[in-house]
Amino acid sequence: MTFVRPSFRHPQQPTNALGYVRKDYEGLISTLCAGCGHDSISNAIIQACFEIPVEPHKVVKMSGIGCSSKTPAYFLDRSHGFNSVHGRMPSIATGANMANRDLIYLGVSGDGDTASIGMGQFIHALRRDLNLTYVVMNNGCYGLTKGQDSATADRGSRTKKGAPNPFESIDLCEMAIQLGAGFVARGFSGDKQQLVPLLKAALLHRGIALIDVISPCVTFNNSSGSTKSYQYVRDHIEATGTFDFIPLQQEIVVQYEEGATQAVTMHDGSIIQLHKNVGGVDVTSRRRALDLLEAEREQGRLLTGILFLDPESEDTHAILNTTLTPLNQLTQAELCPGAAALEQINARFR
Amino acid sequence: MSRIEKVNDYVVRFANVNGTGSASANNLFALAIYRMGVPVTPKNIFPSNIQGLPTWFEVRVSGSGYLARRAGIDLTVAVNGQTLVQDYNEVLPGGYFLYDSTKRLPDECRRDDLNVIAIPLTQLCNDAFTDPRLRQLLKNIIYIGALAQLLDIDHGVLTAAISGQYAKKPQLAESNLQALEIGYTYAANHFAGACGLRVEPQPTSGESILMDGNSALALGAIYAGATVAGWYPITPSTSVVEAFERYANRYRIEAETGRKRFAIIQAEDELAAIGIAIGASWNGARAFTATSGPGLSLMAEFLGLAYYAEIPVVLMDVQRAGPSTGMPTRSQQSDILDAAYASHGDTKHVLLFPSDPTECFEMAVAAFDLAERLQTPVIIMSDLDLGMNDHLCAPLSWDDSRRYDRGKVLDAAALEALPTRWGRYLDVDGDGICYRTYPGTHPSKGAYFTRGTSHNEYSGYTEDNTIYRRGMERLARKWQTARDLVPAAEATERDSETIIGAIFYGTTSAAALEAIDLLAAEGVAINLLRLKAFPFGPEVKTFIDRHRRVFVIEQNRDGQMRQLLIGEGDFPPAKLLSVLNFDGLPITAATIVDQIQPLLAAPDPDGDTEPSGEKP
Ligand SMILES: Cc1ncc(C[n+]2csc(CCOP(=O)(O)OP(=O)(O)O)c2C)c(N)n1
Ligand code: SF4
Ligand SMILES: [Mg+2]
């Protein structure tokens, strides 16, 4: 059922540069289980959109099916949303993006939605470098169908049901890096400090930006044998580094020590300042990123933060060379060749 | 020896090996006859293979304008060793068999009712040309040259067609003309007067065109302003999107920048293909996908979403012979039920049934208007025969004063002006169609959450049984509105007294019309109804009620349209008699006549009762 938040607005709420208050980015009241990681991600999305800031109605939020895919109802009430079918958000997002390149596309999916039924659509959206922020709310299980193992569940991990998962797990980030995604990051729903800037950078990245967010399912996959529980993730998390996201208009005020930081300028001029934690990471090297992910995995650690970033990446529209005018705004006069042209066409068939 | 003697009324079959360039030579033959003003029907009967397997090209020449395929071969041009004996045996008694006599005719070929025309095509070709690649192609042109002599085809028409085809490659034009001459001269020297078949020029208005249905669908999408296509290759629909891309590259390039005013995405599968079309339509661009049976099966879930969430989308289904992978290069009308009810739950879709390329064009344009007006999928039911063969048809026409019907869409000003709260699924007009908005329209109004889950009038999730039911009933109301908007079936009264009617649609139409003429010549009067769309309009009921026996002629095994009529129109099943062809080859008039005759002799299903005028 739908629960609408009361529309009372406190007069003293801070506004962002566009004049919106944080509440303008909120959605309906969540119906997910209390403590579900997905709700924290929704909040981070609200925060990121408020902080960037984006115009709420210029965002399009899309999802597949699952507890995770319900969340677009719980943020950005002023945005159009599209809750599609299981595993098929990327194709809907592709079509929507083709129709209007001027909006911001935010796709939300689950690990079942992405790594199983939707794997085909996921990897092809990556290949096409669709201008889409793709958030996977990854809890290692199928929440909505009551806790079955998903394809991202680590081998040997146990859900509440108890039996260890016998199969190899899929690392969505490694896959995305291999397939040429220009922005690949991993976050944790319990670390808002890191997640909000990740989302901000992802939303401004041109081309596909994948954020795999580990998001514990408190109801089915938060027990002691699970590698996707709050406790386990907190104990094994390792970040590539902390970073500041500096939007185009702002000035870099803090100066960092040479070598300890890496500044990556994004296509719109925004800068990501990365303060390195893990041995000299260069986030713009695909090879290094993959090595590092594997190395951390061998150590049983979960690497988070920006894993790979290609600031030069192009999106599908650039690849296809489509007009800068959104296709849905072209007029009949621009689209229809008219009667005279049809007469010439007829002549070629005589 | 018997000899078929005919003017402008026969079938010529070319038996070739696929991948040898025979198609362009054979098309040249059909084109020349068409340009002489004689109605012509070419059918390409090809294998699901790229190179090396048998392929046939049949050209029916019909001065009286019958455009269906006709069985029985009057003249065969046999250049495929693999099928030579079969081809030899299949020629009608008194017919003609032209073969490449560079190789001896096998001993089994001993008919004494055949006129054999032996021309050493390979020998002649090799003597004249040295380039091995060219030899293969020009051998085909040599037999066209021979046919020109044998059938009396206008020489000027042929040479003009060749020069036109190779306008940009004059050297190739020259060798083609030379090959044509070689064939012509050989036939003149050795077989003058040997053939009793002749083409005689007929006066024509010069208006009609010879076009394939897939090009027409593509042009329809261009003229309707479609900008986004998602697709996955599948015979026989592939050439729809290929043609769309070709025309888009000609008519949709932004002059100043060279940028494209369209986006074509070759998707990872048909699920994604239709997802792309739905996503784009939802966001206010006209979008479509094209597929065939296997793809339609995969698109089912998304079609259900588009039906329930009320998103316009145009799907072009170029049907082929099923089930499963079936015969991928043969034609059928066997996706009717699957398309009508694609997806689970109470789902149904608007279908359009074009019967020639002109209608492919018109219905493609109409499909976009209907999809947006009705906010629902519209499926155009073409087939391989219509899509991939050339058909003689009226020229495509466009009225420059025509405006697209983008349906009920609220822009920012309209949202501002609304006196009451807007609801995406509020039926304010009572026609079952609600107002939609595109993303990004207004900073604070008009946003909603599109979902395939049950929803209230404001698109909020609900499990309230009353609200759910109300929504489903409104969709049923919208379906009634659709009945009034789709093209009406076309009824033709041949005899006001007759109690017999025939219903048909799509590519069955040409054969049905011919069959009804044949039966009329035997004194059996049959009235006609050509279906153009589903849901059926009231005219369908009127027609069926008026007649005591109604033949439903179609190209599938299970009488799918008959089932649809019974299910949706509530007609007495005994009254609707199936006449079927489902061997994958385009239906012929003879097949229809052969099936109707015994049915006419059978007892009247309704006994003596008058045709009922009651409402079902
Ligand atoms: C075609 C189809 N098959 C199965 C389902 C049932 N189903 C709903 S959600 C879901 C799994 C969701 O898992 P995930 O994407 O990880 O989301 P979570 O609930 O864990 O957030 C399944 C199998 C469905 N809705 N559609
Ligand atoms: S079942 Fe799990 S994933 Fe679903 S809402 Fe509850 S905690 Fe979240
Ligand atoms: Mg999950």
Side-chain angles (χ1 to χ4, degrees), chain B residues 456-478:
Chain B
N456 62 23
E457 283 77 359
Y458 299 90
S459 200
Y461 180 63
T462 183
E463 289 170 4
D464 181 314
N465 54 323
T466 312
I467 298 175
Y468 163 77
R469 206 186 137 132
R470 202 160 67 211
M472 290 297 285
E473 281 166 355
R474 180 182 55 74
L475 285 170
R477 198 153 64 238
K478 188 165 86 167

mmCIF file of all heavy atoms in Angstrom, chain B residues 456-478:
data_model
loop_
_atom_site.group_PDB
_atom_site.id
_atom_site.type_symbol
_atom_site.label_atom_id
_atom_site.label_comp_id
_atom_site.label_asym_id
_atom_site.label_seq_id
_atom_site.Cartn_x
_atom_site.Cartn_y
_atom_site.Cartn_z
ATOM 1 N N ASN B 456 -3.912 2.431 -8.034
ATOM 2 C CA ASN B 456 -5.136 3.230 -7.988
ATOM 3 C C ASN B 456 -5.077 4.301 -9.070
ATOM 4 O O ASN B 456 -4.149 4.330 -9.877
ATOM 5 C CB ASN B 456 -5.339 3.825 -6.586
ATOM 6 C CG ASN B 456 -4.196 4.767 -6.204
ATOM 7 O OD1 ASN B 456 -3.499 5.305 -7.070
ATOM 8 N ND2 ASN B 456 -3.990 4.959 -4.916
ATOM 9 N N GLU B 457 -6.030 5.192 -9.080
ATOM 10 C CA GLU B 457 -6.132 6.196 -10.135
ATOM 11 C C GLU B 457 -4.942 7.165 -10.128
ATOM 12 O O GLU B 457 -4.701 7.871 -11.090
ATOM 13 C CB GLU B 457 -7.439 6.981 -10.010
ATOM 14 C CG GLU B 457 -8.678 6.221 -10.501
ATOM 15 C CD GLU B 457 -9.205 5.162 -9.531
ATOM 16 O OE1 GLU B 457 -8.593 4.979 -8.437
ATOM 17 O OE2 GLU B 457 -10.211 4.500 -9.856
ATOM 18 N N TYR B 458 -4.218 7.190 -9.001
ATOM 19 C CA TYR B 458 -3.078 8.094 -8.906
ATOM 20 C C TYR B 458 -1.767 7.340 -9.063
ATOM 21 O O TYR B 458 -0.700 7.837 -8.718
ATOM 22 C CB TYR B 458 -3.144 8.874 -7.585
ATOM 23 C CG TYR B 458 -4.422 9.703 -7.534
ATOM 24 C CD1 TYR B 458 -5.589 9.175 -6.991
ATOM 25 C CD2 TYR B 458 -4.448 10.971 -8.110
ATOM 26 C CE1 TYR B 458 -6.772 9.906 -7.008
ATOM 27 C CE2 TYR B 458 -5.628 11.714 -8.131
ATOM 28 C CZ TYR B 458 -6.785 11.177 -7.576
ATOM 29 O OH TYR B 458 -7.939 11.906 -7.612
ATOM 30 N N SER B 459 -1.881 6.113 -9.544
ATOM 31 C CA SER B 459 -0.720 5.267 -9.798
ATOM 32 C C SER B 459 -0.020 4.809 -8.519
ATOM 33 O O SER B 459 1.125 4.387 -8.555
ATOM 34 C CB SER B 459 0.287 5.980 -10.719
ATOM 35 O OG SER B 459 1.116 5.031 -11.308
ATOM 36 N N GLY B 460 -0.718 4.929 -7.406
ATOM 37 C CA GLY B 460 -0.162 4.406 -6.156
ATOM 38 C C GLY B 460 -0.450 2.912 -6.054
ATOM 39 O O GLY B 460 -1.467 2.432 -6.578
ATOM 40 N N TYR B 461 0.423 2.210 -5.379
ATOM 41 C CA TYR B 461 0.235 0.772 -5.225
ATOM 42 C C TYR B 461 -1.001 0.485 -4.382
ATOM 43 O O TYR B 461 -1.256 1.144 -3.388
ATOM 44 C CB TYR B 461 1.466 0.153 -4.556
ATOM 45 C CG TYR B 461 1.343 -1.343 -4.370
ATOM 46 C CD1 TYR B 461 1.232 -2.170 -5.478
ATOM 47 C CD2 TYR B 461 1.314 -1.921 -3.107
ATOM 48 C CE1 TYR B 461 1.105 -3.536 -5.338
ATOM 49 C CE2 TYR B 461 1.191 -3.293 -2.939
ATOM 50 C CZ TYR B 461 1.079 -4.103 -4.064
ATOM 51 O OH TYR B 461 0.952 -5.449 -3.919
ATOM 52 N N THR B 462 -1.770 -0.498 -4.809
ATOM 53 C CA THR B 462 -2.917 -0.878 -3.994
ATOM 54 C C THR B 462 -3.194 -2.373 -4.128
ATOM 55 O O THR B 462 -2.934 -2.970 -5.178
ATOM 56 C CB THR B 462 -4.187 -0.101 -4.397
ATOM 57 O OG1 THR B 462 -5.243 -0.486 -3.511
ATOM 58 C CG2 THR B 462 -4.622 -0.403 -5.823
ATOM 59 N N GLU B 463 -3.680 -2.937 -3.037
ATOM 60 C CA GLU B 463 -4.159 -4.316 -3.099
ATOM 61 C C GLU B 463 -5.652 -4.335 -2.784
ATOM 62 O O GLU B 463 -6.222 -5.381 -2.507
ATOM 63 C CB GLU B 463 -3.378 -5.188 -2.092
ATOM 64 C CG GLU B 463 -1.941 -5.397 -2.545
ATOM 65 C CD GLU B 463 -1.044 -6.030 -1.495
ATOM 66 O OE1 GLU B 463 -1.550 -6.398 -0.404
ATOM 67 O OE2 GLU B 463 0.159 -6.142 -1.749
ATOM 68 N N ASP B 464 -6.258 -3.171 -2.847
ATOM 69 C CA ASP B 464 -7.686 -3.047 -2.579
ATOM 70 C C ASP B 464 -8.453 -3.674 -3.756
ATOM 71 O O ASP B 464 -8.327 -3.229 -4.901
ATOM 72 C CB ASP B 464 -8.018 -1.555 -2.440
ATOM 73 C CG ASP B 464 -9.485 -1.317 -2.145
ATOM 74 O OD1 ASP B 464 -10.359 -1.920 -2.808
ATOM 75 O OD2 ASP B 464 -9.765 -0.505 -1.247
ATOM 76 N N ASN B 465 -9.224 -4.710 -3.468
ATOM 77 C CA ASN B 465 -9.864 -5.451 -4.561
ATOM 78 C C ASN B 465 -10.829 -4.597 -5.373
ATOM 79 O O ASN B 465 -10.958 -4.752 -6.580
ATOM 80 C CB ASN B 465 -10.529 -6.731 -4.037
ATOM 81 C CG ASN B 465 -11.492 -6.453 -2.907
ATOM 82 O OD1 ASN B 465 -11.230 -5.581 -2.063
ATOM 83 N ND2 ASN B 465 -12.597 -7.159 -2.872
ATOM 84 N N THR B 466 -11.482 -3.651 -4.713
ATOM 85 C CA THR B 466 -12.433 -2.801 -5.426
ATOM 86 C C THR B 466 -11.703 -1.883 -6.407
ATOM 87 O O THR B 466 -12.118 -1.723 -7.552
ATOM 88 C CB THR B 466 -13.229 -1.933 -4.422
ATOM 89 O OG1 THR B 466 -13.692 -2.792 -3.400
ATOM 90 C CG2 THR B 466 -14.384 -1.238 -5.088
ATOM 91 N N ILE B 467 -10.611 -1.326 -5.927
ATOM 92 C CA ILE B 467 -9.868 -0.402 -6.790
ATOM 93 C C ILE B 467 -9.237 -1.161 -7.944
ATOM 94 O O ILE B 467 -9.266 -0.727 -9.098
ATOM 95 C CB ILE B 467 -8.793 0.355 -5.979
ATOM 96 C CG1 ILE B 467 -9.470 1.190 -4.888
ATOM 97 C CG2 ILE B 467 -7.937 1.233 -6.880
ATOM 98 C CD1 ILE B 467 -8.503 1.882 -3.941
ATOM 99 N N TYR B 468 -8.690 -2.339 -7.631
ATOM 100 C CA TYR B 468 -8.090 -3.164 -8.680
ATOM 101 C C TYR B 468 -9.117 -3.449 -9.778
ATOM 102 O O TYR B 468 -8.879 -3.280 -10.960
ATOM 103 C CB TYR B 468 -7.569 -4.481 -8.095
ATOM 104 C CG TYR B 468 -7.327 -5.532 -9.153
ATOM 105 C CD1 TYR B 468 -6.201 -5.474 -9.967
ATOM 106 C CD2 TYR B 468 -8.268 -6.543 -9.392
ATOM 107 C CE1 TYR B 468 -6.001 -6.404 -10.979
ATOM 108 C CE2 TYR B 468 -8.081 -7.477 -10.400
ATOM 109 C CZ TYR B 468 -6.947 -7.401 -11.194
ATOM 110 O OH TYR B 468 -6.775 -8.313 -12.193
ATOM 111 N N ARG B 469 -10.283 -3.879 -9.322
ATOM 112 C CA ARG B 469 -11.340 -4.240 -10.250
ATOM 113 C C ARG B 469 -11.786 -3.045 -11.101
ATOM 114 O O ARG B 469 -11.998 -3.155 -12.307
ATOM 115 C CB ARG B 469 -12.525 -4.747 -9.420
ATOM 116 C CG ARG B 469 -13.397 -5.686 -10.161
ATOM 117 C CD ARG B 469 -14.584 -6.002 -9.309
ATOM 118 N NE ARG B 469 -15.700 -5.951 -10.221
ATOM 119 C CZ ARG B 469 -16.616 -6.888 -10.296
ATOM 120 N NH1 ARG B 469 -16.571 -7.911 -9.477
ATOM 121 N NH2 ARG B 469 -17.581 -6.793 -11.163
ATOM 122 N N ARG B 470 -11.847 -1.906 -10.430
ATOM 123 C CA ARG B 470 -12.244 -0.696 -11.142
ATOM 124 C C ARG B 470 -11.261 -0.407 -12.288
ATOM 125 O O ARG B 470 -11.655 -0.043 -13.390
ATOM 126 C CB ARG B 470 -12.269 0.461 -10.146
ATOM 127 C CG ARG B 470 -13.113 1.615 -10.550
ATOM 128 C CD ARG B 470 -13.473 2.452 -9.335
ATOM 129 N NE ARG B 470 -12.310 3.120 -8.758
ATOM 130 C CZ ARG B 470 -12.182 3.396 -7.445
ATOM 131 N NH1 ARG B 470 -13.130 3.040 -6.585
ATOM 132 N NH2 ARG B 470 -11.114 4.016 -7.005
ATOM 133 N N GLY B 471 -9.996 -0.593 -11.995
ATOM 134 C CA GLY B 471 -8.974 -0.360 -13.029
ATOM 135 C C GLY B 471 -9.126 -1.320 -14.188
ATOM 136 O O GLY B 471 -9.040 -0.935 -15.361
ATOM 137 N N MET B 472 -9.367 -2.584 -13.859
ATOM 138 C CA MET B 472 -9.511 -3.589 -14.916
ATOM 139 C C MET B 472 -10.756 -3.312 -15.759
ATOM 140 O O MET B 472 -10.761 -3.514 -16.974
ATOM 141 C CB MET B 472 -9.571 -4.989 -14.303
ATOM 142 C CG MET B 472 -8.258 -5.455 -13.698
ATOM 143 S SD MET B 472 -6.947 -5.592 -14.933
ATOM 144 C CE MET B 472 -7.437 -7.092 -15.791
ATOM 145 N N GLU B 473 -11.788 -2.850 -15.096
ATOM 146 C CA GLU B 473 -13.014 -2.539 -15.848
ATOM 147 C C GLU B 473 -12.821 -1.311 -16.751
ATOM 148 O O GLU B 473 -13.364 -1.250 -17.845
ATOM 149 C CB GLU B 473 -14.188 -2.340 -14.890
ATOM 150 C CG GLU B 473 -14.728 -3.683 -14.432
ATOM 151 C CD GLU B 473 -15.661 -3.605 -13.238
ATOM 152 O OE1 GLU B 473 -15.844 -2.496 -12.672
ATOM 153 O OE2 GLU B 473 -16.193 -4.667 -12.861
ATOM 154 N N ARG B 474 -12.039 -0.397 -16.258
ATOM 155 C CA ARG B 474 -11.766 0.766 -17.121
ATOM 156 C C ARG B 474 -10.978 0.337 -18.357
ATOM 157 O O ARG B 474 -11.230 0.816 -19.470
ATOM 158 C CB ARG B 474 -10.994 1.851 -16.368
ATOM 159 C CG ARG B 474 -10.726 3.055 -17.277
ATOM 160 C CD ARG B 474 -9.934 4.142 -16.605
ATOM 161 N NE ARG B 474 -8.677 3.685 -16.050
ATOM 162 C CZ ARG B 474 -7.610 3.376 -16.788
ATOM 163 N NH1 ARG B 474 -7.646 3.474 -18.094
ATOM 164 N NH2 ARG B 474 -6.498 2.968 -16.197
ATOM 165 N N LEU B 475 -10.034 -0.580 -18.158
ATOM 166 C CA LEU B 475 -9.285 -1.067 -19.320
ATOM 167 C C LEU B 475 -10.227 -1.747 -20.322
ATOM 168 O O LEU B 475 -10.043 -1.633 -21.533
ATOM 169 C CB LEU B 475 -8.177 -2.035 -18.884
ATOM 170 C CG LEU B 475 -6.963 -1.369 -18.232
ATOM 171 C CD1 LEU B 475 -6.025 -2.409 -17.621
ATOM 172 C CD2 LEU B 475 -6.201 -0.521 -19.241
ATOM 173 N N ALA B 476 -11.228 -2.419 -19.807
ATOM 174 C CA ALA B 476 -12.215 -3.043 -20.698
ATOM 175 C C ALA B 476 -12.997 -1.952 -21.441
ATOM 176 O O ALA B 476 -13.322 -2.088 -22.624
ATOM 177 C CB ALA B 476 -13.156 -3.935 -19.904
ATOM 178 N N ARG B 477 -13.253 -0.847 -20.749
ATOM 179 C CA ARG B 477 -13.957 0.274 -21.393
ATOM 180 C C ARG B 477 -13.069 0.858 -22.502
ATOM 181 O O ARG B 477 -13.535 1.190 -23.586
ATOM 182 C CB ARG B 477 -14.248 1.330 -20.323
ATOM 183 C CG ARG B 477 -15.306 2.322 -20.689
ATOM 184 C CD ARG B 477 -15.988 2.882 -19.433
ATOM 185 N NE ARG B 477 -15.113 3.653 -18.563
ATOM 186 C CZ ARG B 477 -14.877 3.364 -17.281
ATOM 187 N NH1 ARG B 477 -15.444 2.314 -16.717
ATOM 188 N NH2 ARG B 477 -14.076 4.121 -16.552
ATOM 189 N N LYS B 478 -11.802 0.947 -22.204
ATOM 190 C CA LYS B 478 -10.870 1.463 -23.209
ATOM 191 C C LYS B 478 -10.862 0.554 -24.442
ATOM 192 O O LYS B 478 -10.758 1.024 -25.570
ATOM 193 C CB LYS B 478 -9.463 1.559 -22.603
ATOM 194 C CG LYS B 478 -8.468 2.251 -23.495
ATOM 195 C CD LYS B 478 -7.215 2.657 -22.764
ATOM 196 C CE LYS B 478 -6.201 1.548 -22.717
ATOM 197 N NZ LYS B 478 -4.871 2.013 -22.289
#
